[in-house]
Amino acid sequence: MKKLWAGRFREKTSKIVESFTESISFDKRLWKHDIEGSIAHAKMLGKKGIIKKEDSEKIIKGLEDIAKDIRTGRFRFREDLEDIHMNIEAALIKKIGDVGEKLHTARSRNDQVALDLRLYLREESKEILSLISRLQKTFLDIATKHIKSIIPGYTHLQRAQPVLLSHHLLAYIEMLMRDRGRLNDTLKRINVLPLGSCALAGTTLPIDRAYTAKLLGFASISSNSIDAVSDRDFAIEFLSAAAILIMHLSRLAEELILWSTEEFDFIEFPDAFTTGSSIMPQKKNPDVAELIRGKTGRVFGSLISLLTIMKGIPLSYNRDLQEDKLPIFDTVDIIKNCLSVLNEMLPHIKFNTKRMQETAGEVYSTSTDVAEYLVTKGVPFRKAHEITGKIVLYCINRKKKLEELTLKELKTFSKLFSKDIFYCFKAEESVTRKKSAGGTSPNEVIKQIRRLRNLIR
Ligand code: ARG
């Protein structure tokens, strides 16, 4: 097929160059946004009298028909037409004749592709935002269900202090809250219209960019045409936000994998979300969580890809920019898939709260409470820490639990111990008394759940 830019060429493009430079194999995903942008552009051209009203209407009708063809699988994407923009424009000309040749007035593929990408990322970001909210709700429901279950809280992957399971789950909601913040912030930078920047310099024709922006729901128009066709900051920001988001999902995945081991035995994955081994009949593997952790690598890679693509590009548009799409598309797919599968799987995970509770109070995890007890009796914290450390060592040497100590034994470490110290040894007590704001006491956690319920919609 004749290329739309063939005028100044004497030779045909070589086949290898055609397939080397094509992007239709992947940017056909932008068809809806490309058509949406073209319809708005045609409307603006008609309104400004740059093309005749009736031509504008014919173009719009033609584009709508092409959308229908694509939607119903009747459209043939051609590699020799390079990309989605050329494929649709050529199809339009074929459909409505010469009038179709007027669509590309006061426009270049450089501002067109920037527009398509912004429309695409705007839509996908909104979808991702709603998937994140759903995940937050899922966490909130599980937390509410297990509001008072106690688990060992960890630092250095060593049991540290008892905490509420609900409190632990709420930590993920906080991470996701920040992820939403980052995506919403990115949306502000996405939501700027680049169209009308044309190749790089703007146009001599009397276009109305504000009108196009209004039609497409953009909050503003770009202020510098050179920047607008070469800027991919919004995509890098999107990938950054996605990288941080999936880093959170990966940490969750890692934790679920650990918790599901025989060694921890804190949770059981539902059968429907695990897979077996081809050789070991007894196995039930946490593949979903492992793949979330694995896909995280790809998303990080995409961020680095785009940063690296961008770093050597002189102003303004260069064809390197075509390479932005694959990492973006791959990331969008991964993020949506990971969020969706988590949303499906999490409600079916069984929490072994009995085992969690039993292990929560073990290995001297309430020692800090003992030290704080001494603080309330006037002992400086450093001293209290030391005294408690000695008690723990004494217990380790005698294979005793803290609660197995007698008051007499305790008094050899400090005269200030009295009967009420025995409450401090218990995990439940330890948790209930962590009343500081943001702490793990049930009252605090309930307060947080209420706050989050109002925030998450
Ligand atoms: N397929 C191209 C891309 O994705 C569209 C813009 C091409 N512009 C050009 N001047 N060759 O970036």
Side-chain angles (χ1 to χ4, degrees), residues 5 21-24 26-27 30 82-85 108-110 113 232 317-325:
W5 41 255
T21 56
E22 68 87 24
S23 55
I24 189 64
F26 50 89
D27 69 12
L30 296 173
E82 236 176 285
D83 56 25
I84 187 62
H85 325 296
S108 146
R109 276 186 295 162
N110 300 350
V113 72
R232 293 294 181 273
Y317 180 87
N318 293 261
R319 193 62 177 269
D320 319 36
L321 288 171
Q322 180 166 291
E323 293 295 318
D324 62 357
K325 282 165 212 66

Side-chain angles (χ1 to χ4, degrees), residues 96-253:
I96 66 171
D98 290 354
V99 179
E101 295 191 349
K102 297 190 175 180
L103 170 62
H104 210 54
T105 311
R107 184 176 81 167
S108 146
R109 276 186 295 162
N110 300 350
D111 56 347
Q112 191 179 354
V113 72
L115 169 68
D116 291 5
L117 211 52
R118 284 170 183 273
L119 287 170
Y120 168 79
L121 279 178
R122 188 173 71 181
E123 181 177 300
E124 296 293 2
S125 298
K126 285 182 184 162
E127 216 170 292
I128 290 169
L129 277 166
S130 88
L131 285 169
I132 301 176
S133 304
R134 234 188 90 197
L135 185 57
Q136 289 182 306
K137 264 184 236 142
T138 306
F139 272 119
L140 214 45
D141 290 343
I142 303 172
T144 308
K145 190 167 147 207
H146 293 289
I147 182 79
K148 288 194 175 156
S149 301
I150 297 174
I151 60 165
Y154 291 81
T155 62
H156 311 271
L157 205 54
Q158 311 280 325
R159 276 181 243 172
Q161 294 187 294
V163 294
L164 290 182
L165 170 59
S166 47
H167 190 207
H168 189 103
L169 298 174
L170 258 45
Y172 284 101
I173 304 185
E174 295 296 332
M175 299 178 214
L176 294 169
M177 214 46 121
R178 294 192 293 273
D179 290 321
R180 281 171 55 184
R182 269 181 288 272
L183 260 185
N184 273 317
D185 199 51
T186 304
L187 266 172
K188 287 186 217 151
R189 248 93 56 201
I190 291 177
N191 206 21
V192 179
L193 176 92
L195 202 70
S197 301
C198 304
L200 79 158
T203 175
T204 56
L205 298 164
I207 57 174
D208 182 351
R209 298 186 61 212
Y211 178 67
T212 316
K214 203 173 123 216
L215 290 177
L216 292 168
F218 283 102
S220 58
I221 62 172
S222 56
S223 321
N224 181 313
S225 59
I226 299 171
D227 177 45
V229 295
S230 43
D231 167 36
R232 293 294 181 273
D233 290 4
F234 62 96
I236 294 174
E237 280 186 53
F238 172 82
L239 292 178
S240 312
I244 299 175
L245 164 62
I246 200 161
M247 175 270 287
H248 292 149
L249 303 186
S250 182
R251 293 181 74 177
L252 169 68

Side-chain angles (χ1 to χ4, degrees), residues 369 372 429-445 447-448:
D369 300 71
E372 287 185 353
E429 200 65 24
S430 165
V431 160
T432 311
R433 292 169 47 172
K434 298 281 184 331
K435 288 188 184 131
S436 50
T440 205
S441 81
N443 282 347
E444 257 323 288
V445 173
K447 222 191 277 170
Q448 295 302 329

Side-chain angles (χ1 to χ4, degrees), residues 20 76 122 189 218 287 381 424 427 440:
F20 186 72
R76 203 179 129 232
R122 188 173 71 181
R189 248 93 56 201
F218 283 102
D287 296 29
F381 181 75
C424 294
T440 205

Side-chain angles (χ1 to χ4, degrees), residues 281-335:
Q282 84 285 9
K283 292 276 281 176
K284 185 171 150 181
N285 296 325
D287 296 29
V288 169
E290 287 169 344
L291 281 167
I292 291 171
R293 201 175 53 184
K295 286 171 195 290
T296 300
R298 262 164 71 192
V299 173
F300 290 3
S302 291
L303 170 60
I304 296 298
S305 275
L306 189 53
L307 282 168
T308 314
I309 289 165
M310 295 305 295
K311 76 181 259 300
I313 301 185
L315 295 178
S316 60
Y317 180 87
N318 293 261
R319 193 62 177 269
D320 319 36
L321 288 171
Q322 180 166 291
E323 293 295 318
D324 62 357
K325 282 165 212 66
L326 283 171
I328 292 172
F329 295 159
D330 193 44
T331 296
V332 166
D333 290 344
I334 290 178
I335 293 287

